[in-house]
Amino acid sequence: MKIGIIGRPQAGKSTLFQLLTNHQPASGNKAQVAVGKVPDPRIEVLTKIQQTRKVTYATIDFWDVPGFLPGQNAGSFLQTVSDVDALVVVVRAFESDIVPSYNGIQPYTDFNDIQQELLVADWSLLETRMERIAKQRMKNPKAADELGILEKCQATLEQDLPLRQLTLDEEEEKALRTYDFMTRKPLIVVVNLDEEQMRSDSYPQKEELEQELARLNLPLIKVSAQIETEINELDGEDAKVFLEELGLEDTGIARLARTVYQHLGLMSFFTVGETEVRAWTIKIGTAAKQAAGKIHSDIERGFIRAEVVAYDDLVACGSTQVAKEKGRFRLEGKEYIVQDGDVITFRFNV
Ligand SMILES: Nc1nc2c(ncn2[C@@H]2O[C@H](COP(=O)(O)OP(=O)(O)O)[C@@H](O)[C@H]2O)c(=O)[nH]1
Ligand SMILES: [Mg+2]
């Protein structure tokens, strides 16, 4: 899975990128990609139970995209993110070291500029497609259907609404997937606060930003990239105290990863072997056989059954041995819909 981090220059994108990936951001104006692990405290618990040393977290590829300035570099910015699965828009609320390219601290306006740019990009993509299809209408029997879907898109964009807002049936959804519309991509907004704003829960344009995101049904996450960077250097206990003092349950990175998962309809299952505990990412609603394919296509092809224990059951038992003795493992067939936190052993033959 690929996620693009976008926003104005100096919003804190690279700082966030570094937090998410532990990767040094590139200087200059080049997009950069690195892998971030998805924090999941359940993995640590499983590792203790199983006494394994090797741990593999689920991962996400993050793109640190060069800053966007309205009316200046939309082309390169859009190209970089045309194939990501989701967008994280970082808007700046912290007030220190204001740079000349900022006309004041205005996170709502900054979000809106990007939103408008994405809408314009989709509008022009839509026009091109509609013209092309209108020409094919005589020859291509499917063109009329497609034109119908595009007209729905047009009506949505005309109301200044992102295409995400458009409810489509499965067929239409499929037809649209090939287009790479920008405003169809899931989007999450991160507002980057300083410590004082975090404590007081107030910052410029807060109300406008919250209202707009509520209207668009988009999640908003409050983060302080700088504090997070400091917390990142503390050990577990100190970090916890620091977070509590700020009234936060968890690091911004963990909250961001969770929101990404929720918003994209993703979940994790685990495999727990003698040498390795590992998290795997699948879409909610995935059947056991397809989930097996995440691990290896041979396991999917030769699928016999899945031996499943729920995470909570396994933890309550304290070990896989006890869970087995107590009959907590279930045998499930290929149609079984995998649940979040399932610990699975796949049986297969090749
Ligand atoms: N005070 C404060 N400064 C920050 C915060 N996040 C980033 N910065 C600083 O703002 C500047 C720009 O951050 P950077 O991540 O490079 O922004 P980018 O241009 O969006 O990639 C750097 O000097 C960061 O150290 C924050 O939460 N609070
Ligand atoms: Mg940067």
Side-chain angles (χ1 to χ4, degrees), residues 8 70 91 103 105-115 205 208-209:
R8 279 184 86 101
V91 291
N103 350 316
I105 295 299
Q106 33 188 16
Y108 162 71
T109 310
D110 292 349
F111 166 74
N112 208 37
D113 285 343
I114 285 188
Q115 166 91 345
Q205 292 193 324
E208 289 110 304
L209 184 64

Side-chain angles (χ1 to χ4, degrees), residues 1 28 33 38 81 118 184 190 195 267 270 283 300 349:
M1 173 167 24
V33 65
V38 179
V81 288
L118 300 175
R184 190 93 188 135
V190 169
E195 191 166 339
M267 51 168 254
F270 305 107
K283 283 236 166 221
E300 180 171 354
N349 62 36

Side-chain angles (χ1 to χ4, degrees), residues 33-310:
V33 65
V35 177
K37 68 174 194 189
V38 179
D40 188 337
R42 295 175 298 185
I43 297 178
E44 279 110 69
V45 175
L46 289 174
T47 309
K48 273 205 198 103
I49 287 181
Q50 199 67 8
Q51 295 180 326
T52 50
R53 244 169 297 155
K54 185 153 188 249
V55 184
T56 307
Y57 288 80
T59 59
I60 296 175
D61 286 349
F62 288 99
W63 280 93
D64 185 16
V65 181
F68 162 73
L69 283 169
Q72 286 188 30
N73 60 350
S76 68
F77 148 79
L78 290 169
Q79 205 174 9
T80 316
V81 288
S82 64
D83 74 334
V84 299
D85 302 301
L87 295 167
V88 169
V89 178
V90 182
V91 291
R92 170 170 173 157
F94 66 91
E95 303 199 325
S96 63
D97 310 319
I98 297 177
V99 290
S101 69
Y102 270 85
N103 350 316
I105 295 299
Q106 33 188 16
Y108 162 71
T109 310
D110 292 349
F111 166 74
N112 208 37
D113 285 343
I114 285 188
Q115 166 91 345
Q116 289 307 317
E117 200 64 51
L118 300 175
L119 285 166
V120 168
D122 281 357
W123 187 253
S124 83
L125 178 60
L126 183 80
E127 279 189 329
T128 317
R129 291 299 300 195
M130 286 182 88
E131 275 166 30
R132 198 175 302 161
I133 285 177
K135 279 190 207 136
Q136 295 172 349
R137 195 142 48 163
M138 298 310 200
K139 290 177 272 172
N140 180 355
K142 278 198 178 155
D145 287 349
E146 200 164 332
L147 202 55
I149 302 170
L150 292 177
E151 275 163 0
K152 281 190 192 175
C153 293
Q154 190 178 31
T156 308
L157 291 176
E158 264 166 359
Q159 296 168 57
D160 221 17
L161 285 173
L163 294 175
R164 241 174 272 118
Q165 308 282 97
L166 189 58
T167 324
L168 297 172
D169 66 30
E170 215 169 302
E171 281 296 298
E172 295 172 317
E173 172 80 44
K174 229 172 159 181
L176 260 199
R177 224 171 282 160
T178 54
Y179 285 87
D180 275 336
F181 279 120
M182 297 300 297
T183 65
R184 190 93 188 135
K185 293 183 193 294
L187 185 150
I188 292 162
V189 179
V190 169
V191 58
N192 193 7
L193 309 173
D194 63 32
E195 191 166 339
E196 182 43 42
Q197 293 168 333
M198 192 67 117
R199 283 180 202 281
S200 62
D201 192 24
S202 70
Y203 55 88
Q205 292 193 324
K206 177 178 187 244
E207 247 158 57
E208 289 110 304
L209 184 64
E210 285 182 347
Q211 260 171 28
E212 175 66 358
L213 296 181
R215 180 180 81 98
L216 299 171
N217 206 9
L218 294 176
L220 173 65
I221 305 176
K222 286 181 285 187
V223 160
S224 172
Q226 195 168 38
I227 301 178
E228 298 273 339
T229 305
E230 288 163 24
I231 290 177
N232 211 22
E233 283 151 15
L234 301 174
D235 68 36
E237 235 359 83
D238 289 347
K240 227 172 118 192
V241 172
F242 198 166
L243 284 170
E244 269 166 21
E245 203 194 296
L246 286 167
L248 298 173
E249 268 172 38
D250 215 338
T251 62
I253 301 314
R255 281 179 286 130
L256 178 59
R258 262 203 307 273
T259 309
V260 167
Y261 262 50
Q262 266 170 16
H263 206 58
L264 299 187
L266 301 172
M267 51 168 254
S268 300
F269 72 90
F270 305 107
T271 51
V272 170
E274 272 171 25
T275 54
E276 184 189 33
V277 171
R278 181 159 183 169
W280 305 86
T281 304
I282 51 173
K283 283 236 166 221
I284 292 169
T286 302
K289 190 165 186 265
Q290 281 72 44
K294 275 273 156 187
I295 301 173
H296 200 287
S297 55
D298 282 350
I299 309 182
E300 180 171 354
R301 217 171 317 121
F303 182 97
I304 301 171
R305 63 171 188 270
E307 296 171 15
V308 184
V309 59

